[in-house]
Amino acid sequence: MKPVKVGLLGLGTVGTGVVRIVVGNQEHLSSQVGSPIIIERIAVKNSEKARDIDVDASKITTDPWEVIRDPEIDVIVEVMGGINGTKEYILEALDRGKHIITANKDLMALYGSEILAKAQEKQCDVFYEASVAGGIPIIRTLIEGFSSDRITKIMGIVNGTTNYILTKMSQEGATYSDALREAQDLGYAESDPTSDVEGLDAARKMTILGTLGFRTNVELQDVTVQGISGVSKEDIAFAKRLGYEMKLLGIAECKDEEFNISVQPTMIRSGHPIASVNGVFNAVYVYGEAVGETMFYGAGAGAMPTATSIVADLVAVIKNLKLGVNGLKQIVPYKTKKIKSDEDIYYKNFLLLHVDDKAGVLAKITQVFAEYDVSLDSVVQQANPNNPNAEIIIVTHNASKASMDKVLRHFEDLNVIRRVKSHYRVEG
Ligand code: HSE
């Protein structure tokens, strides 16, 4: 059988993992697709770099265009990252009829619709399983596993770095900055951790999941984003006392054809399966109208888990090649985009208020909630020897985001409130 030839853009940790799996599992892979799979050419940044795999030097180039323009190559695997430049390589490869596999969530979140439209025009596959939650096959699950159902909610822990930090804070009482430093020392967080800790990485992944789950063209700017840099160990202690864990959750909901997506630190009821996802692990909880609750758990990053998803995509592309059906199974969003207004987004809220400790304060505060029709689930006042103000902890029932925003604006003018110390979404 004629071998299928693959061009690899990037030979970092993930690219190395791809080579290992393609070479090491060759018999297993070729038995599934009916032909050998050969990594024909590899574009690298630095051809002199020492590597811990054996690669024939004649396959290596520092010019990605040599790989893209090689007429022998059927499939391009892109693991070099980056947005501008990388997008041009991918569009040109599609123009040349090559199929694409990418792990690039940044590119797919920002330019996925353009790339998928080009792929459809050229009858090529573009698969990107590794772009969200590394080794968890969540994209294939949303496209194929749930093709018969209507998904109404996706909740994801899709950033391992922030989950590691919050786990350290929760389990060991670490401060945010100590936990971040440890995540950096272990190589989970970058020296500039902004994209992870401020929620942008998770927002990009939720853009991809929302598009697939709701079959509509979700864009990054449709996702409201708040990171974890403002979460204190006191907040986490309060969460635990009330029976919650603090997680950076991506939450995508769709009802009556309207959706909303957010990424924010969220207090999730300790008994919920996603609350026990700790360390760098990822999990995606999917609720379908017919199937009900499901959850998918595993490694969200790392060379071999990510490479597993990439090579599984490769198997899928080659099977399609054999059947002559490339480009036919792309999910092209077909629903008109309708974003929920703040009046229609409902959730519970946790508030920690620092207030004057004198008669009538609580009455004034509860009056504001009543004015905007926000019903309260629990109210606790506690003494804190380190705080001259009284601390009031409030958990609301489900309230619209619009009403809660009005409450918070009103609090700015309420002179008995010294400070709204913390405000979090509550789930479960
Ligand atoms: N920085 C990401 C995380 C890994 O911490 O989950 C790859 O997306």
Side-chain angles (χ1 to χ4, degrees):
M1 272 287 192
K2 189 172 162 273
V4 173
K5 294 190 177 171
V6 177
L8 187 59
L9 302 182
L11 191 57
T13 52
V14 174
T16 302
V18 170
V19 175
R20 277 192 210 288
I21 292 182
V22 170
V23 174
N25 294 359
Q26 183 63 219
E27 191 188 346
H28 178 58
L29 297 171
S30 54
S31 75
Q32 294 176 72
V33 300
S35 55
I37 303 172
I38 292 177
I39 297 188
E40 179 77 359
R41 305 238 48 200
I42 306 174
V44 299
K45 235 191 242 155
N46 175 5
S47 56
E48 305 300 316
K49 190 174 153 187
R51 301 179 194 277
D52 57 0
I53 44 163
D54 270 341
V55 181
D56 184 348
S58 67
K59 292 181 185 244
I60 303 268
T61 171
T62 52
D63 180 7
W65 289 116
E66 272 187 32
V67 182
I68 304 292
R69 291 178 181 143
D70 186 333
E72 292 287 302
I73 286 174
D74 309 291
V75 187
I76 297 287
V77 172
E78 184 275 303
V79 284
M80 62 195 284
I83 299 173
N84 298 317
T86 309
K87 178 184 160 206
E88 277 59 57
Y89 297 139
I90 286 180
L91 291 175
E92 174 72 21
L94 288 169
D95 263 329
R96 290 169 182 263
K98 298 184 196 307
H99 309 287
I100 305 291
I101 293 156
T102 177
N104 195 327
K105 74 222 158 209
D106 303 341
L107 188 69
M108 290 311 290
L110 292 172
Y111 297 110
S113 58
E114 184 182 341
I115 289 168
L116 293 172
K118 168 72 86 182
Q120 203 179 34
E121 179 197 328
K122 297 290 172 182
Q123 293 196 316
C124 287
D125 283 333
V126 173
F127 288 163
Y128 46 101
E129 183 63 74
S131 67
V132 180
I136 307 176
I138 187 64
I139 290 184
R140 190 157 290 117
T141 299
L142 289 177
I143 295 174
E144 293 177 8
F146 292 138
S147 58
S148 58
D149 204 356
R150 276 216 294 245
I151 290 166
T152 53
K153 187 165 185 173
I154 303 171
M155 283 203 295
I157 294 178
V158 287
N159 183 271
T161 304
T162 46
N163 204 44
Y164 179 85
I165 293 171
L166 292 175
T167 302
K168 278 268 147 189
M169 293 172 75
S170 170
Q171 293 186 345
E172 294 171 23
T175 62
Y176 168 77
S177 47
D178 285 347
L180 170 59
R181 201 169 315 111
E182 196 173 325
Q184 286 171 320
D185 291 344
L186 289 167
Y188 300 141
E190 311 269 337
S191 51
D192 175 0
T194 313
S195 161
D196 287 325
V197 299
E198 296 308 341
L200 186 59
D201 175 80
R204 288 179 167 162
K205 292 166 179 167
M206 291 307 295
T207 302
I208 295 171
L209 295 184
T211 298
L212 295 172
F214 305 148
R215 308 298 205 246
T216 191
N217 186 23
V218 178
E219 293 168 278
L220 188 58
Q221 62 264 28
D222 303 329
V223 182
T224 54
V225 188
Q226 185 195 337
I228 63 161
S229 57
V231 177
S232 68
K233 67 180 202 180
E234 288 74 26
D235 292 337
I236 291 183
F238 276 125
K240 283 172 105 64
R241 262 178 44 195
L242 294 170
Y244 297 98
E245 287 292 338
M246 185 79 80
K247 296 288 175 193
L248 183 70
L249 286 189
I251 303 180
E253 293 166 301
C254 188
K255 195 166 173 244
D256 302 330
E257 305 284 304
E258 294 183 343
F259 74 87
N260 64 289
I261 305 185
S262 63
V263 169
Q264 62 199 113
T266 303
M267 289 185 180
I268 176 102
R269 174 74 60 196
S270 303
H272 192 285
I274 213 165
S276 56
V277 174
N278 288 321
V280 286
F281 279 96
N282 281 197
V284 184
Y285 165 98
V286 182
Y287 193 91
E289 265 179 11
V291 73
E293 288 180 290
T294 61
M295 200 171 92
F296 306 86
Y297 169 88
M304 298 314 277
T306 309
T308 303
S309 289
I310 291 171
V311 182
D313 278 350
L314 189 54
V315 168
V317 168
I318 300 171
K319 282 183 177 169
N320 286 351
L321 261 174
K322 298 288 160 87
L323 294 168
V325 295
N326 297 101
L328 296 182
K329 289 209 267 177
Q330 306 289 353
I331 289 288
V332 177
Y334 69 94
K335 287 194 181 165
T336 311
K337 181 156 116 179
K338 289 187 215 148
I339 299 176
K340 259 191 213 313
S341 74
D342 286 355
E343 280 74 23
D344 295 322
I345 300 173
Y346 279 81
Y347 50 83
K348 295 179 196 169
N349 299 264
F350 166 96
L351 287 168
L352 171 58
L353 307 177
H354 288 182
V355 303
D356 289 343
D357 197 359
K358 61 184 187 194
V361 169
L362 205 51
K364 282 187 181 161
I365 291 170
T366 53
Q367 177 60 39
V368 176
F369 282 105
E371 190 175 331
Y372 300 107
D373 203 24
V374 175
S375 167
L376 303 183
D377 178 53
S378 66
V379 181
V380 178
Q381 179 174 336
Q382 70 160 23
N384 179 347
N386 303 317
N387 187 352
N389 305 128
E391 292 183 348
I392 295 183
I393 299 147
I394 295 173
V395 179
T396 72
H397 285 299
N398 269 333
S400 77
K401 185 169 184 302
S403 298
M404 269 313 293
D405 287 346
K406 285 181 194 154
V407 167
L408 291 168
R409 269 199 302 277
H410 197 135
F411 280 173
E412 285 168 19
D413 300 326
L414 201 66
N415 56 13
V416 295
I417 294 185
R418 298 282 160 200
R419 190 172 173 213
V420 177
K421 170 68 178 46
S422 310
H423 172 211
Y424 295 107
R425 178 170 176 158
V426 177
E427 275 289 316

